[in-house]
Amino acid sequence: MAIEQLGIAVLWSFLYGYLIVASIDFGAGFYAYYGRISGVETVIAPVISRYLSPVWEVTNVFLVFFFVGIVGFFPETAHYYGTALLIPGSIALLLLAVRGSFYAFANYGVNKNSFYLLAYGATGLLIPAALSTVFTISEGGFLTVRGNDVFLLMEELFYSTYSWAVVLLALSSVLFISSTFLTYYAARANDPKALEQMRRFALWGGVPTIISSLFVFIALRNHNLEHFQRTLDVWWLFGLSLVSFIIAIWFIWNRRSYGTAFVMVLLQFAFAFYGYGISHMPYLLYPYLTLYGGVTNPVMGRALVIAFVAGFALLVPSLVLLLKMFLFNARYVKGDLA
Amino acid sequence: MGTVDWSRALTEMTLAFHILFATVGVGVPLFISLAEWLGIRKKDRHYSLMARRWARGFVITVAVGVVTGTCIGLQLSLLWPEFMRLAGHIVSLPLFLETFAFFFEAIFLGIYLYTWDRYSNPYLHWLLTLPVMIGSSGSALFITTVNAFMNTPQGFAVREGKLTDIDPLAAMFNPATPSKVLHVLFSAYLTVAFLLGMIAAFSMLRGRKDEYYRKSLRLNMTAAAILAVATIGIGDMSAQFLAKEQPEKLAAAEWHFDTGERASLIVGGRLNPVTQEIAGALEIPWALSLLATHSLDGTVVGLNDFPRKDWPPLYVHYLFDAMVGIGFYLLAVPILFLALLIIKRWNAYNRFVLACALAGGPLALLAIELGWFYAEVGRQPWIIRGYLRVSDAATTNSHVNLAFWLFAGLYAVLGVVCLFVLARLFRNQPAELELETRRIIL
Ligand code: HDD
Ligand code: HEM
Ligand code: HEM
C-alpha cells in the first residue's frame, strides 16, 4: 500500500473509533436529560455514569488524534479546511469544551443541577450536527477558492438538502448507537428497568437511522453525481451494512444476545463508513484536493507510519485493559465496585 | 487590529490559559505517585489520603487542560494554516507522538481513578501512576520539541522554494530541545510543589492544626528546594543556549546592544529606545558574560548586529527579570522553611513562613506565564525563525475577531467555574473529616 493510502486508512479507522465512542457519549447525554425530565432518571443515570466516567477523556483523544493526524499526513488540508472552517470549527470547539469540562465539574465536583444536564444533553446533539458538516463540505460546492484565499459559503450550506440530510443521519445514528450500547450495558448490569427503557429507545432509533441514510443517498445523487456513482461500485458494502442492521434489530426485538446485537451495530456502521470513505477516494476535498496532491513527503510519511505502529502496540493492550476493567468486569458493571 | 493581530491575540490567550492547566497536568501525577508510594512504604495513611485528595482535584484541572488543549490543537490549523502546511512536513512526528502520549495517559488515568480499592497489593494500584506520569511528561516533551523547532529550525533544506532533505528526527532534536524540555518539565514540577504546598499552608493559616497539613507542607517544600535548584540551573543552561544559538533573544532580554566582552547584567531600569540609554537599572558588571558563557571575558552578541526589523520587542526584558526574580524567591522559601525545621529553635510553621509558601503558588504560575511570553515574544517577528514570519503564516479568514470573543467568553466561564468547583471540593471536605470517616487513628 502506498503511504497516502495507508495514512488515510489509519486516520479513517480512528475516525470510525471516534464515531462509535463519541456517539455512545453524546447519545447518553441526551438520554440522561430525557430521563430527568420524564422522571425515569434513577433508572438510566447510574448505568450511564458507571460506563462514561472512566472513559470520557479517552473519547476526546480519538478526535484530537484525527485532526493532528490529518495535518500530519496531509498538510495541505490545513490550508483548505483550516482557512474555511475557522468559525464553524471554533463553534464546535466551544461546544466540546463546555461539554467536557462541565461533565467533569458535575461528576467529580459536588452537585448536579438541571442546567448542567441540559447543557450536557443539548451539546450531545449539537456537536455531532456541527462535526458532520465537515463531511458535507468535503463533497465540494461549499467553498470558493480565490488565489490563496478560501471562503466557506455559509448560505449554500444552510439551504442545501444534502447538508440537512447528513445532519439528520448524524443525529439518528448517535441516538441509535448509544441506545444499543446502553441496552447491552444495562443487560450486563442486570438492571431490567433500565434495559427495557433503553431497548425501546434502540428499536425506535433504528427507524430514522435507516430512513435518513436513504435520504442521504438521494441527496448525494443530486449534489455530487461522481461520488454517487462511485458508491454504486461498492454497493455490496452498503448491502452488508443493511444486513447487519436487520440482524441487530432482530436480536433486540427478540430480547436476546444484546452483546451480539451491539457488535452487529458496530458492523453496520463500519460497512457504511468504510463504504462512504472508499467511494470518496481519491478526493479529500472535491474538487480541489486529492490524496496524492495533499500528501506529506515520503520521509515524514514513513516516520508517521512507524510511530503509528509503535504507538498502536502500546495502545491496544492498554485499551483492552481499560475495557476489561469497566466493560467486561461484571462486578464493576453491576455497581458492586465503587 | 488586522487578521494577524487577532490571530496572535487568540493564540496568546488560548496558550496562556492552557499552559496553567498543562503545567498542573504535568506536575501533579509526580506528586500523587510520590505520596501514594510514601503512604504504602511508611504505612502512613496520611500520605495515602494526600494522594487521594490531590487526585480528586487533579481530575478537574485535567478536564480543563484537555478541552483547552483540544482548542489549541485545532486552532493551530485554523489560525496558522500556512504554518501548519509548512511545519506539517517537518514536525508532525512529535505532534503525532504527543497524541499517543495523551492516549496513554488518559487510559491509565481512567483506570487509576476508579480502582482505589480493587487491588489487594497496594503497589499494583501505585504502579498505575507510572504510565500517567510518563504520558503527561511525555506529552510536554513532544510538544516542547515542536516549540524548540520553531526557535531553532533544522532537519530540512529549501531548494528552489521546495522543501527537501527532510529529517524528522533532526527536526525534533534541534539545538533548543535539551534546555527547553528540561526547563519546561522542571519548572512544571516546581510549580506544582508550590501549588500543593499552598493548599496546606492556606489550611494552616486558617487554623487547621492536623499533622496531615504539616506532612504535606514538609513533603512539598523538600521537593521544592531540590526542584528550585534544578530549575534555576537549567534556566542558566537555557541562557547559555540562547547566547550561542539565538543571541537576539537573549540580547533583547538583557538590553544588550553592542557586541563585546565583559558585558554587564542589567536588572530593571528604563530604556530610551532612540539613544539606547538605560536609566535607573541595577548594573552588575561582567555578570552577563558570566551567565551567557561561564567566563568573565566571554563575548556576548548585541542587538545592533541584527537588522532592526528582526528585533523582538524590547519589553521582554521585564518578563525575563520577573521570571528570574520569582525563581530565586521560590528557592528562598523552602530553604528558609527547611532551615527552621533543622534548627528547631523557632517554629518552622509560623505565619510568616506559611504566608510566603502561600504566595509561592500564584507566583510560580506567574513565572510560567512570564517565561513563555518571554520565549514566544522573544522569537518575534518569526514563527519559524529565519524561514517564516508570523505575518505570513496567519489565516486569511477575516472573522478571527469573532472567534477571539467566543473563546474569551469560554475561558472566562471555565476559569471561574473551575476555581469555584475546586474551592468547594477542598472546603466541603476538609482533611480532618476524611481522616475521621476513613478512621485513620492519629
Ligand atoms: C516556575 C517557573 C520558572 C522559573 C522559576 C524560571 N523559569 Fe525560565 N522559563 C520557564 C519557567 C521558569 C518556562 C515557562 O518553562 C520557560 C518558557 C519557555 C521555556 O522553554 O521555558 C522559561 C524560559 C526561559 C528562558 C528562554 C528559553 C528559550 O527561549 O529557549 C530562559 C533563558 C530562562 N527561562 C532562564 C531562567 C533563569 C536563568 C531562571 C533563574 C531563576 C529561570 N528561568 C527561572
Ligand atoms: C509546552 C507546553 C505544553 C505543555 C506542557 C502541555 C501539556 C499538556 C497536558 C499535560 C495536557 C493534558 C492535560 C492532562 O491530561 O493533564 C495537555 C492537553 C492538550 N494539549 Fe497541551 N501542552 C502544552 C502546549 C500545547 C500546545 C502548544 C498544543 C497545540 C499543539 C497542545 C495541545 C494539546 C491538546 C490537543 C491537548 C488535549 C489532549 C487530549 O484530548 O487529551 N498543548 N497539554
Ligand atoms: C504551552 C506553552 C506555550 C505558550 C504559553 C505559548 C505562548 C505564546 C504566545 C504568548 C505567543 C504570542 C507571541 C506574540 O504574539 O508576540 C505565541 C505565539 C505562537 N506560538 Fe507559542 N506558546 C507555547 C508553546 C507553543 C508551542 C509548543 C507551539 C507549537 C506547536 C506554539 C505555537 C505558536 C504559534 C503558532 C504562535 C503564533 C505566532 C506568534 O504570534 O508568535 N507555541 N505563543
Side-chain angles (χ1 to χ4, degrees):
Chain A
M1 222 195 253
I3 281 289
E4 49 266 37
Q5 285 161 358
L6 199 60
I8 197 72
V10 164
L11 293 172
W12 201 244
S13 305
F14 265 81
L15 200 57
Y16 171 72
Y18 182 67
L19 174 93
I20 299 297
V21 289
S23 290
I24 294 176
D25 179 12
F26 293 148
F30 173 79
Y31 293 125
Y33 182 66
Y34 177 85
R36 167 72 64 95
I37 53 172
S38 66
V40 285
E41 179 187 22
T42 41
V43 180
I44 22 187
V47 172
I48 292 176
S49 103
R50 224 172 297 141
Y51 164 72
L52 282 183
S53 303
V55 302
W56 76 269
E57 199 189 343
V58 178
T59 310
N60 192 59
V61 189
F62 269 98
L63 179 66
V64 174
F65 192 101
F66 178 76
F67 65 63
V68 170
I70 195 151
V71 284
F73 275 108
F74 305 101
E76 288 296 307
T77 52
H79 171 64
Y80 288 97
Y81 286 109
T83 312
L85 292 182
L86 176 66
I87 294 303
S90 298
I91 291 173
L93 276 178
L94 213 69
L95 293 170
L96 277 168
V98 167
R99 181 185 178 81
S101 51
F102 276 72
Y103 178 74
F105 292 158
N107 216 19
Y108 307 109
V110 209
N111 75 333
K112 307 187 183 223
N113 65 33
S114 280
F115 168 74
Y116 140 74
L117 212 58
L118 174 65
Y120 187 64
T123 49
L125 295 184
L126 290 173
I127 295 170
L131 294 180
S132 68
T133 50
V134 180
F135 290 123
T136 311
I137 291 167
S138 77
E139 295 295 338
F142 300 106
L143 297 182
T144 10
V145 178
R146 243 178 272 138
N148 217 15
D149 288 0
V150 186
F151 301 96
L152 177 64
L153 306 171
M154 289 289 230
E155 234 168 87
E156 313 251 324
L157 193 62
F158 191 80
Y159 290 113
S160 148
T161 340
Y162 179 66
S163 148
W164 286 107
V166 172
V167 168
L168 215 62
L169 177 60
L171 293 186
S172 49
S173 309
V174 161
L175 294 178
F176 182 58
I177 294 174
S178 184
S179 56
T180 49
F181 173 78
L182 289 171
T183 307
Y184 163 60
Y185 205 79
R188 286 202 48 115
N190 276 345
D191 186 339
K193 267 199 188 143
L195 171 64
E196 200 42 42
Q197 188 79 29
M198 293 320 303
R199 179 178 164 271
R200 260 213 312 279
F201 284 132
L203 290 176
W204 279 110
V207 182
T209 311
I210 284 304
I211 295 179
S212 54
S213 54
L214 285 177
F215 194 33
V216 165
F217 271 108
I218 299 166
L220 181 64
R221 187 173 163 193
N222 294 331
H223 185 80
N224 183 340
L225 192 61
E226 187 184 345
H227 184 184
F228 177 75
Q229 267 153 1
R230 282 177 207 260
T231 61
L232 297 184
D233 297 342
V234 288
W235 63 269
W236 51 277
L237 278 172
F238 296 100
L240 284 174
S241 171
L242 188 64
V243 172
S244 317
F245 168 78
I246 293 169
I247 300 176
I249 289 290
W250 186 80
F251 277 130
I252 296 176
W253 182 264
N254 288 312
R255 296 174 203 276
R256 46 182 282 208
S257 315
Y258 293 113
T260 321
F262 182 62
V263 172
M264 283 297 144
V265 172
L266 291 183
L267 285 178
Q268 173 202 343
F269 280 88
F271 285 129
F273 195 68
Y274 283 91
Y276 171 80
I278 291 168
S279 58
H280 204 296
M281 292 299 106
Y283 286 100
L284 293 171
L285 171 62
Y286 275 97
Y288 301 106
L289 194 60
T290 63
L291 277 190
Y292 308 99
V295 72
T296 186
N297 60 84
V299 187
M300 180 56 84
R302 217 169 307 130
L304 290 180
V305 170
I306 293 171
F308 177 78
V309 172
F312 215 59
L314 193 72
L315 280 192
V316 170
S318 326
L319 269 175
V320 169
L321 184 66
L322 181 76
L323 292 182
K324 252 175 89 163
M325 291 261 170
F326 300 113
L327 195 53
F328 300 122
N329 183 322
R331 280 176 60 213
Y332 177 81
V333 173
K334 285 181 191 141
D336 295 345
L337 297 168
Chain B
M1 277 178 30
T3 301
V4 176
D5 297 307
W6 280 112
S7 302
R8 283 176 58 177
L10 180 48
T11 306
E12 279 170 34
M13 182 171 68
T14 304
L15 280 165
F17 195 63
H18 175 64
I19 194 63
L20 298 175
F21 296 92
T23 302
V24 172
V26 171
V28 173
L30 177 71
F31 283 83
I32 293 180
S33 181
L34 196 63
E36 189 173 5
W37 181 75
L38 280 174
I40 302 172
R41 229 200 109 102
K42 294 188 168 181
K43 297 209 169 32
D44 184 334
R45 309 273 304 263
H46 277 133
Y47 288 107
S48 313
L49 181 65
M50 258 174 238
R52 270 183 194 252
R53 285 171 67 85
W54 292 343
R56 216 175 296 140
F58 181 58
V59 188
I60 308 280
T61 57
V62 166
V64 184
V66 167
V67 299
T68 52
T70 310
C71 289
I72 182 63
L74 194 56
Q75 277 177 359
L76 281 183
S77 296
L78 295 177
L79 297 175
W80 309 98
E82 305 311 310
F83 164 69
M84 288 307 274
R85 194 185 195 180
L86 182 69
H89 282 281
I90 315 163
V91 285
S92 44
L93 179 64
L95 280 173
F96 198 58
L97 289 173
E98 193 202 7
T99 52
F100 274 117
F102 286 141
F103 235 131
F104 199 52
E105 180 196 351
I107 291 173
F108 282 96
L109 187 62
I111 299 178
Y112 181 77
L113 290 174
Y114 289 88
T115 52
W116 280 102
D117 297 316
R118 261 210 225 177
Y119 300 102
S120 48
N121 180 350
Y123 278 109
L124 279 180
H125 186 251
W126 171 76
L127 275 181
L128 292 170
T129 59
L130 301 183
V132 176
M133 236 173 1
I134 294 170
S136 60
S137 292
S139 64
L141 182 152
F142 291 126
I143 194 69
T144 310
T145 64
V146 177
N147 184 266
F149 170 84
M150 295 161 70
N151 285 287
T152 51
Q154 66 169 33
F156 66 101
V158 183
R159 287 211 191 92
E160 293 157 11
K162 283 212 147 124
L163 287 175
T164 58
D165 302 337
I166 286 170
D167 180 349
L169 287 180
M172 225 173 121
F173 297 102
N174 58 69
T177 298
S179 59
K180 242 201 161 95
V181 168
L182 286 174
H183 198 46
V184 166
L185 285 178
F186 278 88
S187 61
Y189 300 148
L190 171 63
T191 304
V192 167
F194 265 93
L195 287 173
L196 298 174
M198 169 186 84
I199 301 175
F202 180 72
S203 304
M204 291 174 81
L205 280 172
R206 302 256 318 245
R208 304 260 174 76
K209 295 217 172 56
D210 200 283
E211 182 61 19
Y212 172 88
Y213 300 108
R214 292 171 178 244
K215 280 185 186 157
S216 170
L217 198 64
R218 274 205 304 274
L219 172 64
N220 289 312
M221 285 301 124
T222 312
I226 301 165
L227 292 168
V229 173
T231 304
I232 294 177
I234 300 163
D236 177 53
M237 180 178 152
S238 307
Q240 285 183 47
F241 148 77
L242 288 183
K244 198 154 148 267
E245 303 279 347
Q246 227 181 340
E248 75 280 10
K249 196 194 265 185
L250 186 66
E254 298 296 351
W255 286 348
H256 179 62
F257 294 97
D258 299 308
T259 302
E261 315 175 334
R262 306 197 176 189
S264 48
L265 186 75
I266 291 162
V267 180
R270 280 187 315 279
L271 176 74
N272 180 335
V274 184
T275 59
Q276 300 184 347
E277 274 167 13
I278 297 160
L282 173 68
E283 254 188 70
I284 312 172
W286 302 345
L288 181 56
S289 286
L290 192 63
L291 183 73
T293 63
H294 280 192
S295 139
L296 281 183
D297 37 29
T299 306
V300 182
V301 179
L303 267 183
N304 288 335
D305 285 14
F306 296 88
R308 223 167 227 268
K309 68 174 178 30
D310 290 351
W311 285 17
L314 293 179
Y315 70 84
V316 293
H317 175 66
Y318 298 112
L319 307 182
F320 181 76
D321 283 359
M323 169 178 68
V324 174
I326 294 175
F328 284 103
Y329 175 84
L330 298 183
L331 178 64
V333 175
I335 286 185
L336 173 68
F337 173 77
L338 293 177
L340 289 179
L341 265 190
I342 293 167
I343 298 169
K344 285 201 175 120
R345 212 165 128 209
W346 294 281
N347 174 14
Y349 304 95
N350 66 53
R351 293 191 79 80
F352 174 73
V353 172
L354 291 179
C356 288
L358 180 70
L363 282 176
L365 282 178
L366 180 64
I368 296 280
E369 296 284 359
L370 292 166
W372 273 110
F373 271 83
Y374 165 48
E376 298 291 286
V377 176
R379 191 188 60 231
Q380 300 294 311
W382 301 104
I383 189 162
I384 301 178
R385 180 172 174 267
Y387 291 92
L388 185 65
R389 281 174 193 272
V390 171
S391 48
D392 298 328
T395 179
T396 47
N397 190 314
S398 57
H399 300 297
V400 187
N401 51 352
L402 176 62
F404 178 89
W405 292 114
L406 280 178
F407 282 103
L410 173 71
Y411 301 146
V413 171
L414 286 187
V416 171
V417 179
C418 177
L419 278 181
F420 176 74
V421 170
L422 280 178
R424 278 254 298 249
L425 197 65
F426 283 100
R427 208 179 32 206
N428 286 2
Q429 270 186 321
E432 284 89 349
L433 201 70
E434 268 193 78
L435 287 169
E436 230 167 76
T437 48
R438 292 182 187 284
R439 288 194 206 83
I440 297 175
I441 319 273
L442 301 176

